[in-house]
């Protein structure tokens, strides 16, 4: 599981840095900071998901932990964006782009996570 999470975090980090560099060239350093902040929000959500999956794997109430984790992540994303825009004064669009591209990188790298979840539930992974 650690290798899968490490791979996901690495892919998301690379995506966030690439977006920040591109945004920095086009819009300046303030927008780059916002893009990095959006990428960090995505990284933290990945860590929260991994933590909840770990709890679900050790519990007879796996679905409860996963649903609770999904609700927590939605709330935390809203709070993080509110803090970024309202408190830190970050530019919203680059922040959302950084978050979105980092999440896209997560989904592109999530094949091993799917395999792990299927094995956790006792099903065979057929490669699709």
């Amino acid at each position: 599981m650690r290798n899968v999470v490490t791979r996901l975090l690495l892919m998301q980090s690379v995506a966030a840095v690439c977006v920040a560099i591109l945004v920095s060239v086009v819009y300046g350093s303030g927008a780059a900071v916002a893009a990095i902040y959006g990428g960090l929000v995505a990284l933290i959500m990945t860590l929260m998901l991994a933590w909840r999956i770990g709890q679900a794997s050790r519990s007879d109430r796996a679905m409860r932990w996963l649903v609770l984790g999904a609700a927590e992540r939605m709330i935390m994303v809203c709070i993080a964006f509110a803090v970024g825009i309202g408190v830190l004064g970050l530019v919203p669009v680059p922040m959302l782009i950084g978050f979105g591209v980092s999440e896209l990188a997560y989904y592109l790298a999530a094949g091993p996570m799917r395999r792990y979840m299927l094995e956790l539930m006792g099903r065979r992974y057929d490669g699709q």
Side-chain angles (χ1 to χ4, degrees):
M1 176 72 171
R2 283 187 203 268
N3 291 337
V4 172
V5 174
T6 302
R7 178 180 171 191
L8 292 173
L9 292 173
L10 180 64
M11 292 293 289
Q12 286 183 295
S13 299
V14 168
V17 168
C18 289
V19 167
I21 291 170
L22 181 63
V23 166
S24 175
V25 169
V26 176
Y27 297 107
S29 62
V33 170
I36 288 291
Y37 182 85
L40 285 174
V41 170
L43 290 170
I44 292 169
M45 295 310 110
T46 299
L47 289 172
M48 288 179 69
L49 175 61
W51 177 55
R52 284 298 184 191
I53 288 173
Q55 285 183 319
S57 68
R58 295 183 301 273
S59 174
D60 56 342
R61 297 184 192 150
M63 187 58 75
R64 176 178 172 237
W65 286 116
L66 294 175
V67 170
L68 179 63
E72 281 176 342
R73 288 190 315 276
M74 284 187 240
I75 292 168
M76 290 302 295
V77 165
C78 292
I79 290 171
F81 285 161
V83 167
I85 295 168
V87 176
L88 301 176
L90 298 175
V91 185
V93 173
M95 183 174 60
L96 291 171
I97 291 171
F99 178 78
V101 171
S102 294
E103 283 295 306
L104 179 62
Y106 169 87
Y107 287 106
L108 293 175
M113 182 69 86
R114 178 176 178 216
R115 182 179 308 125
Y116 176 78
M117 287 300 297
L118 288 172
E119 290 170 2
L120 181 68
M121 294 185 306
R123 300 182 189 158
R124 280 187 53 101
Y125 178 72
D126 61 5
Q128 297 179 5

